[in-house]
Amino acid sequence: MPVLPGTAGPASIVREIGALAAWSVTSAKPGNGVELLRDGSTDTYWQSDGAQPHLVNIQFPKRVDLSELHVYLDFKSDESYTPSRLAVRVGSTHHDLKDVCIVELREPTGWVVVPLAATQASKQLRAFHVQVAVLANHQNGRDTHMRQVLVYGPANSATPGLRDAGMFDSLEFKCYSTMR
């Protein structure tokens, strides 16, 4: 089994933050649900069941800093089920999502790394909600397979600036840092 990215050692500058989120998908074949995107095995996969676009929604309880998105795909095993075009969208809720990047893929096998921080003028992209949309599959396939999805944020999530001043650590300010 291939090594999952981000598990090599403590010297990493990013950390996997997907466990902090609630995950959902637009559709799934029985036995191939959303839980397989996070099971740590590249031998299992989520399989969609329905019309495109197929969506993976990742919702965080607090706004998080995002660095990278890693998706494990295997064209050799999945053929027409393999995505050929992905859109990554971010926002506060599913109502205000904006595309941050569109990725074109040609027969991918292995980890596809989508840098998110570099897509914005500021160093970090911050959001409550991340959505991965499968816009097209290879060979005009209808359903899709994704084997793993990992979301990374900076290892040190402290944002420079006002947060370092300690001015906004009171309970009154913290009550506005989460979404209900």
Side-chain angles (χ1 to χ4, degrees), residues 62-124:
K62 292 184 178 185
R63 190 167 54 173
V64 295
D65 293 331
L66 302 166
S67 297
E68 298 174 346
L69 181 77
H70 294 211
V71 181
Y72 192 89
L73 304 170
D74 190 354
F75 180 79
K76 291 176 184 171
S77 298
D78 300 331
E79 296 179 347
S80 67
Y81 290 93
T82 307
S84 62
R85 190 169 192 215
L86 298 174
V88 180
R89 304 168 178 151
V90 300
S92 295
T93 68
H94 67 278
H95 297 292
D96 69 349
L97 294 171
K98 296 195 182 340
D99 287 352
V100 291
C101 65
I102 294 179
V103 181
E104 299 286 339
L105 304 166
R106 299 197 78 202
E107 300 183 2
T109 299
W111 289 102
V112 175
V113 178
V114 180
L116 299 175
T119 61
Q120 299 296 313
S122 65
K123 287 193 172 212
Q124 290 301 320

Side-chain angles (χ1 to χ4, degrees), residues 5-6 14-17 65-70 150-154:
V14 294
R15 66 183 175 100
E16 211 283 321
I17 58 173
D65 293 331
L66 302 166
S67 297
E68 298 174 346
L69 181 77
H70 294 211
L150 300 173
V151 182
Y152 286 88

Side-chain angles (χ1 to χ4, degrees), residues 25-29 32-37 44-49 54-56 132 134 144-148:
V25 293
T26 50
S27 65
K29 290 269 190 202
N32 293 94
V34 67
E35 68 278 358
L36 298 178
L37 288 173
T44 60
Y45 52 85
W46 160 63
Q47 180 176 339
S48 64
D49 185 19
H54 305 297
L55 307 175
V56 177
V132 181
V134 178
T144 197
H145 287 181
M146 275 193 200
R147 294 181 174 267
Q148 292 291 294

